[in-house]
Amino acid sequence: SQTIHQWPATLVQPVGSPLSLECTVEGTSNPNLYWYRQAAGRGLQLLFYSVGIGQISSEVPQNLSASRPQDRQFILSSKKLLLSDSGFYLCAWSPGQVNQPQHFGDGTRLSIL
Amino acid sequence: QKEVEQNSGPLSVPEGAIASLNCTYSDRVSQSFFWYRQYSGKSPELIMSIYSNGDKEDGRFTAQLNKASQYVSLLIRDSQPSDSATYLCAGLYSSASKIIFGSGTRLSIRP
């Protein structure tokens, strides 16, 4: 069966520090991969999605970036965090075929001080 | 119009009653829809998928899709306190490999 791993579960970072969040999927090939952010009490905001290695679509202009160095690995990065980057970051995957739902990792709760 | 729209709630339903959650969508969302449940502080989990017009039942859950009215709903029968959560409606975007989520409806089941 397929599993998605996301780490760390919680992270506290100072303003201006760099960020790297990693997500990996097991048990499937060529998945679509997604990064979302959820502010407290708010809905899901799609940040990036990828349909293949090196293919990244950005949904919202901001100081974050994403990379997909391997088929089942998706990384969210920032060179300098802002206070507004605080939130609950969720990685998700779906099968490469169309019409399939997404499945989420456990998320990373990021607090910027 | 938002692409996927939900009433934010909270929706309060007595234990044992039917909870009815509703969602409307725009033309930019295709005909594949999903309902997710999200407990506070946790990630969303998929509970239902619906692809064709009509009803789809799975245990206490029934999803309904009305393409003519661009309307999706989720019914929860015999509501339990453990059903208290935020329910997210989502639809597949017509022109890209991504899913658009509504902002969610908070459901509270009162004993």
Side-chain angles (χ1 to χ4, degrees), chain A residues 6-11 19 21-23 34-39 44-48 62-65 76-78 81-92 104-112, chain B residues 38 42-44:
Chain A
Q6 191 181 342
W7 66 93
T10 59
L11 189 60
L19 173 74
L21 301 180
E22 189 167 339
C23 171
Y34 306 84
W35 278 111
Y36 289 87
R37 178 171 59 204
Q38 188 174 38
L44 295 171
Q45 180 186 33
L46 179 61
L47 301 175
F48 301 95
Q62 56 207 319
N63 71 323
L64 298 172
S65 62
L76 182 69
S77 303
S78 174
L81 286 167
L82 306 172
L83 282 173
S84 57
D85 291 323
S86 293
F88 190 37
Y89 287 81
L90 291 156
C91 181
F104 288 85
D106 290 337
T108 294
R109 193 160 303 281
L110 175 64
S111 298
I112 310 299
Chain B
Q38 186 177 24
K42 302 295 185 182
S43 61

Side-chain angles (χ1 to χ4, degrees), chain A residues 32 34 36 38 42-44 46 49 51 59 88 90 94 96 98-107 109, chain B residues 30 32 34 36 38 40-46 49 51 88 92 95-104:
Chain A
N32 295 332
Y34 306 84
Y36 289 87
Q38 188 174 38
R42 305 293 294 275
L44 295 171
L46 179 61
Y49 70 97
V51 299
E59 290 294 299
F88 190 37
L90 291 156
S94 68
V98 294
N99 292 341
Q100 296 298 309
Q102 294 173 2
H103 304 274
F104 288 85
D106 290 337
R109 193 160 303 281
Chain B
S30 77
S32 301
F34 314 101
Y36 289 80
Q38 186 177 24
S40 181
K42 302 295 185 182
S43 61
E45 57 177 323
L46 178 71
S49 302
Y51 301 101
L88 302 168
L92 188 66
S95 58
S97 300
K98 60 183 183 180
I99 291 175
I100 304 298
F101 284 84
S103 56

Side-chain angles (χ1 to χ4, degrees), chain B residues 8-29:
Chain B
S8 61
L11 175 66
S12 181
V13 173
E15 185 175 355
I18 296 175
S20 177
L21 302 158
N22 305 313
C23 171
T24 57
Y25 61 91
S26 74
D27 292 339
R28 286 195 285 180
V29 180

